[in-house]
Amino acid sequence: AGPARWEDAVHSAVAEVRRLAVHGMSQMELQRCLNAMLTDAAQLAAQGDRMTNEEMLQALMETTACGHGFMNTAQHLEASELVSAAVTLDEVNREVRRLCQHIACFGQPGEPLPSAVVACTPKSLALSESRLADALA
């Protein structure tokens, strides 16, 4: 979809977030996410000694900025395997509902408004606050 269909894209994204907030993930969706996480971690571990100094520095800075612990790629794979074996669907869905609540309830009476909404658009797109709010509602 091109820039002219941005409202459709926003509606689709909001509908999916609302679906997650109401129904959560299915076991199959969770398993796909865990499989993707483990595949990414395994690929990263296989390339671990081929990371450039710049890539390693970028990873360290991002980890520090987010307040996470820095691990080498083998440790990251091991931690990912431990988490994927221990996490439950109920735990994930509890967090999914908490994280999606601000979008799922956007514009409903009595619900708090977000402090900011950031939209990156082409210069040619005439986006106004009201058009964006309508698309999110």
Side-chain angles (χ1 to χ4, degrees):
R5 299 200 47 215
W6 70 270
E7 289 161 305
D8 293 338
V10 171
H11 284 294
S12 293
V14 169
E16 182 62 16
V17 170
R18 286 184 174 143
R19 183 196 69 78
L20 283 169
V22 172
H23 303 290
M25 295 179 89
S26 69
Q27 185 64 47
M28 187 182 299
E29 288 171 319
L30 175 59
Q31 196 57 53
R32 277 196 311 264
C33 290
L34 292 173
N35 288 343
M37 178 186 74
L38 289 172
T39 299
D40 289 349
Q43 288 174 348
L44 188 61
Q47 302 172 9
D49 60 345
R50 290 179 281 208
M51 287 180 75
T52 66
N53 289 341
E54 184 179 335
E55 291 169 328
M56 189 65 75
L57 179 59
Q58 182 64 36
L60 179 58
M61 290 179 1
E62 183 177 325
T63 300
T64 302
C66 294
H68 299 160
F70 187 75
M71 298 181 223
N72 67 35
T73 56
Q75 291 170 319
H76 180 261
L77 175 58
E78 184 180 349
S80 297
E81 289 169 341
L82 289 171
V83 167
S84 70
V87 71
T88 68
L89 183 61
D90 287 339
E91 291 170 326
V92 169
N93 280 334
R94 188 171 35 256
E95 287 304 306
V96 163
R97 287 183 181 99
R98 186 182 66 77
L99 291 170
C100 294
Q101 198 64 31
H102 69 287
I103 293 176
C105 296
F106 181 81
Q108 293 180 7
E111 293 295 329
L113 291 174
S115 57
V117 175
V118 178
C120 300
T121 65
K123 289 181 181 179
S124 61
L125 184 66
L127 181 63
S128 67
E129 185 177 327
S130 62
R131 284 185 71 193
L132 182 57
D134 288 345
L136 289 170

